[in-house]
């Protein structure tokens, strides 16, 4: 199976690529990389020059070209906020000098052309449309828990004074609905807090509709998320499934060695409910541009 991993130079995407590379008898991975840094990351994961594809999620035609001949796509792209250095100074001053119990939190911003609306909605939509046009059969979407809650803290990161620029989880959820309407065979994975730990050391927990957010422990190793994504590519029970993933703390429970087993715990009455459609967050684009985007972004069946 030839598989394109987008966001392959990222911390999760590179692990997905690495896992596919190790399973050379089953998979032929390609990694989509936007920058020289991402290409270097892939090279360190063992990617040869012909396994690295230059591309950007804003370039739909380039995505179609990259996906030609691929049977599957694993979407690992995401808007990544950058901390505002001065905000750290302010928090430390309030905490250490003024001795305030509530010193607040550091502030974040998203880079130019890297907001959640541009990456997690328009960029994801470009990938889905390109997959349909290129004849891709399977689409794995690495999203995030919390998409049912507009008040989730992650939605506030990078939000501007006019209310636009943030809402990363809401834009991801809109892209998820678009994927479901596309006609592609999909698997949507919502991991909890991602941690950099070795795989197969924790017992994985599966849920739907953000029910795992009620747990005290909601983290999960990136390496385990990567294993689950790779298993979804050829596991029948992963077809057209959306699920949440977390894990028990290290040392509790029994480590999950078979990543495909998570898909056997959902289905039937345990399915994700996408019937509630939340209003779109404020857009960073002028009204005229928004209207053009909306007319272009109507779901198209395969």
């Amino acid at each position: 199976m030839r598989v394109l991993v987008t966001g392959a130079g990222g911390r999760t995407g590179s692990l997905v690529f690495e896992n596919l590379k190790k399973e050379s008898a089953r998979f032929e991975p390609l990694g989509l990389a936007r920058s020289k840094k991402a290409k270097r990351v892939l090279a360190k994961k063992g990617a040869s020059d012909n396994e690295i594809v230059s591309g950007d999620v804003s370039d739909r035609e380039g995505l179609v070209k990259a996906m030609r001949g691929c049977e599957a796509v694993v979407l690992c792209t995401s808007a990544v906020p950058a901390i505002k250095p001065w905000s750290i100074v302010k928090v430390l001053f309030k905490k250490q000098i003024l001795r305030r119990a509530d010193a607040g939190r550091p502030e974040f911003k998203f880079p130019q052309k890297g907001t959640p609306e541009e990456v997690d909605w328009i960029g994801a939509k470009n990938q889905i449309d390109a997959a349909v046009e290129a004849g891709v059969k399977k689409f794995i979407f690495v999203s995030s828990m919390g998409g049912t809650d507009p008040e989730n803290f992650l939605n506030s990161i990078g939000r501007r004074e006019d209310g636009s620029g943030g809402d990363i989880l809401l834009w991801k959820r809109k892209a998820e609905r678009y994927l479901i309407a596309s006609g592609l065979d999909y698997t949507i994975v919502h991991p909890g807090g991602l941690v950099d730990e070795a795989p197969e050391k924790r017992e994985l927990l599966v849920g739907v509709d953000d029910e795992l957010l009620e747990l005290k422990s909601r983290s999960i190793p990136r390496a385990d998320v990567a294993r689950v994504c790779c298993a979804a590519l050829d596991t029948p029970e992963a077809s057209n499934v959306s699920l949440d993933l977390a894990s028990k703390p290290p040392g509790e429970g029994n480590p999950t060695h078979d990543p495909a087993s998570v898909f056997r715990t959902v289905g039937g009455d345990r399915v994700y409910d996408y019937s509630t459609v939340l209003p779109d967050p404020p857009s960073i684009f002028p009204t005229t541009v928004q209207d053009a985007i909306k007319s272009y972004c109507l779901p198209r069946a395969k």
Side-chain angles (χ1 to χ4, degrees):
M1 182 186 293
R2 197 175 198 196
V3 184
L4 179 71
V5 182
T6 66
R11 293 161 73 184
T12 303
S14 62
L15 291 173
V16 172
F17 181 90
E18 185 178 33
N19 274 266
L20 294 174
K21 182 76 173 173
K22 290 177 181 177
E23 296 282 350
S24 59
R26 298 165 56 204
F27 302 113
E28 181 186 344
L30 296 174
L32 187 75
R34 183 173 59 89
S35 65
K36 292 181 179 179
K37 179 182 177 181
K39 293 177 182 178
R40 288 196 296 269
V41 169
L42 281 172
K44 289 181 179 179
K45 295 295 184 180
S48 60
D49 289 343
N50 61 0
E51 291 175 329
I52 301 175
V53 182
S54 297
D56 192 291
V57 297
S58 64
D59 177 13
R60 182 168 171 261
E61 294 307 314
L63 289 170
V64 173
K65 183 178 179 181
M67 293 179 188
R68 291 286 187 199
C70 292
E71 295 175 68
V73 169
V74 183
L75 182 155
C76 295
T77 54
S78 180
V80 180
I83 197 166
K84 295 181 179 179
W86 184 244
S87 70
I88 300 177
V89 176
K90 291 193 291 185
V91 170
L92 290 175
F93 179 80
K94 292 177 182 178
K95 190 172 184 179
Q96 297 182 4
I97 305 300
L98 301 180
R99 301 295 182 181
R100 292 184 182 176
D102 184 10
R105 290 172 168 168
E107 298 176 10
F108 296 82
K109 64 179 180 179
F110 289 99
Q112 187 177 14
K113 296 184 179 180
T115 66
E117 182 178 5
E118 293 167 291
V119 177
D120 296 289
W121 163 230
I122 299 174
K125 180 207 162 302
N126 284 341
Q127 294 178 65
I128 295 164
D129 284 343
V132 172
E133 185 172 341
V136 169
K137 304 300 181 184
K138 181 73 181 183
F139 199 102
I140 314 295
F141 190 132
V142 182
S143 187
S144 178
M145 275 198 284
T148 63
D149 179 16
E151 303 304 317
N152 190 291
F153 168 71
L154 292 180
N155 287 320
S156 69
I157 292 178
R159 189 175 288 162
R160 304 169 183 174
E161 290 185 3
D162 63 0
S164 68
D167 295 306
I168 187 169
L169 301 180
L170 299 185
W171 288 119
K172 284 180 183 292
R173 188 167 178 84
K174 182 173 183 176
E176 292 172 31
R177 296 199 309 271
Y178 191 84
L179 172 59
I180 292 169
S182 72
L184 290 166
D185 186 324
Y186 66 86
T187 304
I188 302 171
V189 180
H190 305 96
L194 295 167
V195 295
D196 294 317
E197 293 179 4
E200 297 188 60
K201 302 296 184 182
R202 298 191 184 204
E203 180 176 331
L204 302 186
L205 303 173
V206 182
V208 296
D209 295 329
D210 286 337
E211 62 188 9
L212 297 183
L213 290 178
E214 302 299 323
L215 299 177
K216 184 177 181 179
S217 175
R218 301 187 296 271
S219 63
I220 182 170
R222 294 176 188 274
D224 283 319
V225 174
R227 290 196 307 132
V228 169
C229 289
C230 294
L233 289 166
D234 56 3
T235 298
E237 292 90 345
S239 178
N240 296 330
V241 164
S242 184
L243 52 78
D244 299 336
L245 272 182
S247 66
K248 292 183 178 180
E252 295 185 14
N254 300 308
T256 302
H257 297 295
D258 177 14
S261 65
V262 303
F263 301 110
R264 294 191 280 272
T265 65
V266 292
D269 294 332
R270 296 193 74 207
V271 296
Y272 235 87
D273 181 10
Y274 283 94
S275 62
T276 299
V277 179
L278 300 170
D280 285 354
S283 175
I284 64 169
F285 298 107
T287 303
T288 53
V289 178
Q290 292 179 47
D291 291 341
I293 292 173
K294 287 179 180 178
S295 65
Y296 180 73
C297 290
L298 293 174
R300 290 176 290 174
K302 185 176 179 181

